[in-house]
Structures are given as structure tokens and as C-alpha cells.
Amino acid sequence: MEINIFHGLAIILIGYVVFLRFPLSQFKYVDPRKVIWVVEDSEIELLIYKSRLISRHYKIRYFKSLKAIGFNLLFEKPDGVIVDYMLPEHKGDELYRLCELNDIRVLMVTGQEGEIFGVDPEDIIVKGKSKDYFEDVKQWIQTQVLAS
């Protein structure tokens, strides 16, 4: 079969019509996994999180500051946030309140004993209280993020 210029134009026209009718944005891949953000300023803690929080049920995005989180909240809503209470420029309870307003589950991880004003005790893990607080973090992800 010989293809002439009319066949070529017809193929281009059909492709154009199909593209207009079914734009590529309709076929965008949507990752079904839950999204969890970890906010931690310590490089060592971040490395431990990266090695311990591996799962096919969720994906993790890591941040070192609340500034980066604020910008990203404009474009993406995570299913859960794990935040260190003592960050260099802010305290994690500010993010807790912001996420609460946007109906996002937050886990506050701290090295200090005591109550953090306005934070539900169920959403606080004290690093020194547990042998392996990363297991507690995983448990929180299972019960508070994946179960919802």
C-alpha cells in the first residue's frame, strides 16, 4: 500500500482530533500510596528515617525546615506529617496547628518530656521513652495514617 500526502495529512488530522478530545492530562498517573512528610533538621535522624520508613503502602518526602513545608502545602496535601518539635527557626507545634486546620494528621517527635500545649498526647512521641521510637513512628503511621 502506498502512502501519499493525503494519507499523511489524514493521519495528522486524526491524531490532532484525538489529542484535542483526549488530552494527555487525562492519562496522568496517580500514585495510590499515602504521602507522609518528615520534617527533621538533623542529618543523622533523616538518614535513619530514610532507612527505617520504607514501605510500598506510603511514600515519604523529607524536609529540613518549616519554610519548605509551607511552600509545598500550596501544591500538595500530605496524608500525614512527622515533625521534630525543636527545629532551628520554629517549633514544630506551629506546623501542628497549621496541619490541624487543613485536616492533616501530625505526629510530633520530641526529645523533651512534658506536655506540648495544644498537641494531643496521642500525637507525641518522646524519643527517650522508647527503646526504638522509630517503631512507635511506624505504629502511628499504621494506625493514624494508613487506617484512615
Side-chain angles (χ1 to χ4, degrees):
M1 177 175 156
E2 187 176 316
I3 297 179
N4 62 29
I5 189 135
F6 296 111
H7 288 109
L9 289 173
I11 290 170
I12 291 172
L13 182 63
I14 290 170
Y16 183 71
V17 169
V18 168
F19 179 75
L20 288 177
R21 178 74 175 101
F22 303 105
L24 291 178
S25 61
Q26 272 187 318
F27 301 107
K28 184 175 149 185
Y29 172 72
V30 177
D31 194 340
R33 297 178 297 172
K34 300 271 186 172
V35 176
I36 300 170
W37 290 357
V38 175
V39 187
E40 175 62 64
D41 61 316
S42 165
E43 291 286 337
I44 294 170
E45 298 271 338
L46 272 178
L47 287 172
I48 296 170
Y49 274 115
K50 286 179 181 180
S51 68
R52 299 288 302 273
L53 297 182
I54 298 172
S55 172
R56 62 187 171 97
H57 301 290
Y58 52 84
K59 65 180 179 178
I60 305 276
R61 292 194 56 205
Y62 299 94
F63 301 92
K64 288 187 175 185
S65 71
L66 292 183
K67 288 178 189 174
I69 284 281
F71 179 75
N72 280 284
L73 269 174
L74 296 172
F75 302 103
E76 180 180 26
K77 181 181 176 186
D79 298 292
V81 176
I82 301 165
V83 62
D84 183 19
Y85 179 67
M86 293 301 288
L87 293 167
E89 76 269 358
H90 299 285
K91 289 189 176 174
D93 59 343
E94 295 173 28
L95 178 62
Y96 185 89
R97 286 180 192 68
L98 178 66
C99 287
E100 243 185 355
L101 291 173
N102 289 297
D103 203 26
I104 301 169
R105 296 290 306 172
V106 182
L107 175 65
M108 188 78 55
V109 179
T110 181
Q112 304 170 346
E113 288 269 356
E115 188 177 320
I116 300 172
F117 181 73
V119 178
D120 185 350
E122 175 180 289
D123 295 329
I124 299 172
I125 291 180
V126 179
K127 293 178 184 178
K129 264 189 167 179
S130 175
K131 278 186 189 178
D132 184 4
Y133 76 90
F134 290 102
E135 286 301 318
D136 296 339
V137 170
K138 284 183 177 180
Q139 182 64 35
W140 179 85
I141 291 171
Q142 289 292 328
T143 59
Q144 301 298 321
V145 178
L146 296 181
S148 62

